[in-house]
Amino acid sequence: MGALLGIGPASKPETLRESFQARYHTFKLLVSANTQALEVMAEMEEALRGQVPFGFGFIRSKTARVTAVVYSIIRHLEALAPGRYTGLQDSFEVIRRNIQESLPRVEKHVEGRRVVALAEIDRNDSAECGTKMAHLGELRNRMGLCVPDGFVVTADACLMFMESGGLREEIERLIQSAGADSPSSMLSLSEAVESKVMAAEVPDEVVSAIAREYEGLAARLGRRPNVAVRSSALGEDEAGSFSAGQYRTLLNAHPSDLLTAYKRVVASLYGVQAVGYRRNRGLDTPAMCVGFLEMVEARAGGVVYTRDPLSENVDAVLINACWGRPKSVVDGSVVADSFVVDRQTLALRSRVIAVKNTCVRGGDAGGMVMACVPAEMAAQPSLTDEQVAALTHTCLRIEEQFGYPQDIEFAVDQAGEIAYLQARAVMLTAEPVVRPLPVGTRVVISGGVRASGGVATGKVHHVRTTADTLNFEPGGVLVARQPGPNLAPLLPVASAVITELGGVAGHLASVAREFRVPALFGLRNAMDSIPDSTMVTVDADGRRVLHGVVESLLEPDDAGANLMEGSPVHTALAAVAEHITPLHLLDPEGLTFRPENCTTLHDITRFCHEKAVAEMFSFGRGHKVSRYEAKQLHVEGRPKQFWVVNVQDAFLTEPSDKWVEIGQIACQPMLALWRGMNAVPWAGPPAVDGRGFLSVLFEASMNPKLNVAGGTSLAFKNYFLISKEFCSLQSRFGFHFCNVEALVGEYAVENYAGFRFFGGAADPGRRRLRVLLISEVLEEFGFRTSVRQDSLTARVEGRGPEHMLSRLVVLGHVIMHTRQLDMIMRDLAQARAYKAKLCDQLAELLGEPRGEGV
């Protein structure tokens, strides 16, 4: 590449064109990498402000990602200007070493046992066997309770498996190369990692140990049983971080499938639910211990809460049960029987018996099947009063043993004996607060079960399929039929969740309480009663869904509190970020703007981007072929403050001077942008109130990055880089910047338009109101948007040429008519008034009704 780009003044026009196109390609790669680096840095800064939960895994993955991207930026600049910025590599190496020294240390693996019989462990063995299996050992061996016999494949065996054959390295490589964390990319990553795990060979030592322990189990039972293969990851089921339903459990596995079942449970460490959960809880990927337990032929089963997690039934034990395996209760697939028992007297306070037409039982060939419940049993209680009393008594003993309220899973075998399958902590939430409704409030639907308390508002998103899950918009109200674990990754970004089935004892209910997301479960006909894409307020405490936004019910926003500050993980991120996010190189014209003065990765990205722009647009200055220089745009003979670079076939006729008339432009994306920018005359700067003026004055004087005198001459020119079907606009108006990149051709699948907007001279609140205004306008015309502080990105793609060009008209109009609006943005109401004005103008300009842009 370097030889290709080093073209001298005597180069032929054809060679020069090829060289320019190669440079342009490299420049685009550098700009794209620069955007990726800045996005990762913004994520790290958000985490430091406490706006997103994170863990040590977040620090390591984001650091590795941004370091690799910045290295690629240096390589791209070297391709643009071989040998001119050699000091960059030295600065990068110093920064990289500083980052490595600041990263938290990874604990070394210490060898131990590979497989342990359940009879040999108790709760003190959680570091070796995982909390779930260690607790079962406690119930069986310390308390003498009925727990299915079995064994545990330990954390040490998992580490041995992951380190064999380079499996861990392959997985880490897949994770690093995946980069983005959108739902679709996470699903692809999960599938790729699971394939790697399933294709890997379990070490012979672990295989032999599993076979040996299973034969011992068979000898003790006098038969070769099918088994339940259960996750018991380190940290799973610990108080405050349950990972409920995030890992795989395989029931009724045949003895011939033990190794396959083991690998499937280990692979679930990288399932979409588990990865999303850990990311939002700030947890590293743990070692996966796996329990193999004799299957219980369950007549009935369910879940016991020794304390009401929702604090509604004071001093009561809650029992939810169904026919067959307890799986139907924990995944919310059936409406369960409900029993409320007094903790002190053990008297039954209430009993609600559901009609249970289906149940889960073991299949004859292994696995589980959904079976019909005999008609005469469907409406009968799944537990007798004696069983309810026995459960209550024993579960209160378990609570006393562990010292805190318990969530206990159980099964009743065909002989009526109760077997205990799991015991973990209960997360308790506040009592419900039901506020009166304002006059005129319309109740869309009411009822159901308060699975997680609180009130929230958002746009309804019906989720029926995996595609609906992938397209879920953050801040929406999730409405689904069943509260399955596949919905768990959406909870950190959902404002509330509503399901037609399920109850307080399900896995999703536990995760909702953990993330403090209001949840109403068991709300019959919710999907038919609550229209998709409508705004609603979910009052889980009042068990009602209300039309629109009911402001009086919403809690004050306390997002300013940084709950992670002072924690070890926050301290570690701050130490690493010190070498990544600060920007010290502020003046591109200053004497200190040199490679050797880059002390952070942000410095390097700023330096490389500034120099890349200079290298790109100064390319033609050393050559005698003047038609390859940037041409100033003229409209009807009048010069405009825009310059045009013809990448390929962008001019109908070649300009004979240093300017180009708009009528000579063949680039349709540029012409569409230009139409949007000029169709409605700009009325000029808005009238600024006193506070707005002082805000601008203060920001301009205090923020060195807004210092107009500190930029290069290039920074104030607006550039179109164009071909017949491609347009890239880089512009600056006052103190805000915007970039547009679009490809519009015959094939819809290739078409896209991307937009980035950031900056401003007013205070952060006013700048953020402006980007929110722009975001809502663009969303109304079919753009996907993302807002971060005062920065906005938007994108539309995959549509035909006519639609794409109309969206570029929208972008042009928005670029021109949101100039300096940050100075007058006082509140959300004013932003929405300007939104209405802009949308009306655009609807008239495009000749299409508002709201039909998607």
Side-chain angles (χ1 to χ4, degrees), residues 472-487:
F472 184 84
E473 296 181 15
V477 173
L478 191 165
V479 181
R481 174 164 171 74
Q482 182 175 324
N486 63 303
L487 301 180

Side-chain angles (χ1 to χ4, degrees), residues 724-853:
K724 188 175 182 180
E725 297 181 342
F726 176 82
C727 174
S728 175
L729 168 65
Q730 302 176 58
S731 64
R732 172 171 178 170
F733 294 101
F735 292 117
H736 79 256
F737 304 82
C738 56
N739 307 110
V740 178
E741 184 173 301
L743 176 67
V744 181
E746 178 182 356
Y747 301 105
V749 69
E750 297 178 354
N751 292 341
Y752 70 91
F755 176 60
R756 187 172 182 226
F757 180 99
F758 60 98
D763 61 78
R766 292 170 185 256
R767 297 202 304 269
R768 179 168 174 80
L769 280 173
R770 178 170 62 176
V771 297
L772 290 173
L773 157 67
I774 297 172
S775 172
E776 291 192 9
V777 171
L778 294 182
E779 285 179 350
E780 187 144 342
F781 288 91
F783 286 82
R784 299 196 315 273
T785 69
S786 174
V787 173
R788 180 172 287 139
Q789 302 303 316
D790 66 346
S791 173
L792 164 75
T793 57
R795 190 174 180 89
V796 61
E797 58 197 344
R799 302 295 293 269
E802 183 177 352
H803 183 90
M804 295 300 299
L805 293 176
S806 71
R807 270 47 208 166
L808 288 169
V809 172
V810 171
L811 288 178
H813 186 83
V814 165
I815 289 170
M816 188 59 62
H817 290 273
T818 56
R819 298 161 65 181
Q820 301 185 28
L821 285 187
D822 56 330
M823 297 188 294
I824 61 169
M825 291 286 101
R826 293 189 302 271
D827 52 42
L828 196 58
Q830 189 173 31
R832 286 175 175 163
Y834 269 92
K835 172 197 170 182
K837 177 181 177 181
L838 288 171
C839 288
D840 288 342
Q841 290 175 342
L842 283 166
E844 182 177 356
L845 179 59
L846 298 176
E848 62 182 47
R850 284 184 56 180
E852 295 190 2

